[in-house]
Amino acid sequence: MGMISKVRSQTADASKFMVDWMEHRTGVVTFMEHTLYEPVPKRGAWLYTLGSATLFLITLQFLTGILLLFYYVPSIEQAWNSVYFIQNDTYFGQLIRGIHYWSANFLLAVIGMHMAQVFFSGGYKAPRELNWVIGVVLLLLVIGLAFTGYLLRWDQDGFWASVVGMKIGSYSPLVGAQTIQFLLGGDVIGPATLSRFFAIHVWLLPALIAPMIGLHLVLMRRHGVFGGEFEYTDRLSKLHENQAADEVARYELEDGYEDDEDGYGSNGDRGYRERE
C-alpha cells in the first residue's frame, strides 16, 4: 500500500507540475476554463448544451472526413468503387464512414433544435443579433455540406437526389439558373459536377465554416447567453414578490394617511382622547 500511495503522489505531483508549466507558458488552462465553462439556468439547463453538441458533431464531421479522404477518389469511374473499398476492405472503414454519415444526420437535427432554443429564449435580441445572423449563415453552410456530400457517393440515390435538388434550385430568382449552371459544369451532371461538388464539400465550405464558428464562439463569450422568462424564473419570482410587497406597503401607507385626515387613525385617536 505504501508503494501504491507513493506512486499516486508522484503522479499527481508530476501532473500538477505539467499543468502549471503549460498554464504559465501558454495560459491554456485559463483559456479552456473560459471557453468550456458557462453558467446556465437550473431549469432547462440541458437545452443549453445543444450548441456544444453542434460543435462536437461538426468537429466529428471534419475528423472523419479527413480520414475518408485517404481512400476516396473524386472521379465518376472510381468514386463508387472507392466508397465500396472503404466500406469493406479498410480497417475501421465501415465504422468511420458510418460515424460520418450518421453524425451528419444528427448534426442537422441538433442545429434545428439549437436554433429553436435560441429563438424561444430570446437569444436573437440585442446585443446578440449579429451572433444570430452568423448562426443562420452557419446553418445554410451546413445544409450546403449535406447537399454536396450526397453526390460524392456517386450512386443512384445520390445522383438523382442531386438532380432534383438542382432542378429546384434553378427556379430561384435572379441567380438560380446561373448558380446551377456553374455547379453542373455543363448541361447535365457529369465529371465536372462531381469535381466541383468535391471541391466545395472538402475545401470551400469547411474553410468558411471554421472561422465563422470561431467568430460565433467569440461573440457568444462576449455577450453570454440570453434568455426569456423561462430562463430566469427564480429571479422573476423574487422580483414579483418584491413588487407585491411594495404594493402592500404603499397601500397601507396611503390608508394610514386617509385615517389621519378623517380623525380615526392612530394620531386622530390620540387627539380624540386628549380632547375628552
Side-chain angles (χ1 to χ4, degrees):
M1 292 295 295
M3 186 63 181
I4 295 177
S5 300
K6 184 178 180 180
V7 171
R8 287 178 177 175
S9 177
Q10 291 176 349
T11 304
D13 292 340
S15 301
K16 185 176 183 303
F17 172 78
M18 288 299 299
V19 170
D20 293 341
W21 188 88
M22 290 295 295
E23 169 64 16
H24 185 264
R25 267 68 177 180
T26 64
V28 65
V29 177
T30 303
F31 174 77
M32 291 182 63
E33 182 179 3
H34 180 71
T35 303
L36 298 178
Y37 290 91
E38 178 72 22
V40 297
K42 293 181 179 179
R43 297 186 179 182
W46 282 102
L47 293 175
Y48 290 85
T49 64
L50 293 173
S52 299
T54 302
L55 178 60
F56 171 76
L57 291 172
I58 291 178
T59 304
L60 203 59
Q61 285 285 289
F62 285 172
L63 295 178
T64 54
I66 290 172
L67 294 176
L68 292 174
L69 280 176
F70 282 97
Y71 293 99
Y72 179 76
V73 181
S75 69
I76 60 174
E77 293 84 9
Q78 298 297 327
W80 189 88
N81 291 329
S82 63
V83 173
Y84 182 87
F85 181 78
I86 291 171
Q87 281 284 108
N88 298 279
D89 297 321
T90 60
Y91 290 109
F92 304 107
Q94 187 174 12
L95 174 64
I96 293 172
R97 183 169 180 264
I99 293 174
H100 191 75
Y101 174 81
W102 286 108
S103 62
N105 287 274
F106 282 117
L107 176 60
L108 292 173
V110 171
I111 283 182
M113 291 188 294
H114 175 54
M115 296 195 71
Q117 176 264 315
V118 173
F119 177 79
F120 287 112
S121 66
Y124 58 90
K125 298 178 181 179
R128 300 163 184 85
E129 61 269 25
L130 180 59
N131 215 19
W132 170 260
V133 173
I134 293 175
V136 173
V137 173
L138 281 171
L139 172 64
L140 297 177
L141 293 176
V142 170
I143 292 175
L145 273 180
F147 180 71
T148 54
Y150 212 59
L151 181 65
L152 299 185
R153 301 179 301 180
W154 202 250
D155 57 1
Q156 290 293 323
D157 190 15
F159 180 89
W160 291 109
S162 300
V163 169
V164 173
M166 285 190 284
K167 188 67 174 178
I168 295 173
S170 65
Y171 292 104
S172 300
L174 301 179
V175 297
Q178 292 79 2
T179 302
I180 298 304
Q181 184 72 19
F182 168 77
L183 292 176
L184 285 173
D187 296 327
V188 295
I189 294 180
T193 311
L194 181 61
S195 178
R196 295 185 183 194
F197 271 50
F198 177 77
I200 294 171
H201 184 79
V202 173
W203 300 109
L204 179 60
L205 292 179
L208 294 175
I209 288 174
M212 294 289 285
I213 290 176
L215 183 59
H216 192 68
L217 293 175
V218 168
L219 290 176
M220 189 271 289
R221 289 303 175 190
R222 177 179 177 84
H223 299 297
V225 293
F226 182 85
E229 290 191 359
F230 75 92
E231 179 181 355
Y232 300 108
T233 305
D234 296 336
R235 188 183 304 177
L236 284 172
S237 63
K238 292 180 181 179
L239 178 61
H240 293 158
E241 290 176 2
N242 294 334
Q243 290 176 344
D246 292 341
E247 289 290 337
V248 172
R250 185 164 56 251
Y251 175 79
E252 292 177 349
L253 185 61
E254 292 175 353
D255 186 61
Y257 286 147
E258 291 176 359
D259 289 345
D260 289 344
E261 292 176 357
D262 295 336
Y264 294 101
S266 59
N267 293 333
D269 292 341
R270 186 168 56 251
Y272 183 76
R273 295 191 191 98
E274 289 176 355
R275 285 196 297 273
E276 288 183 340

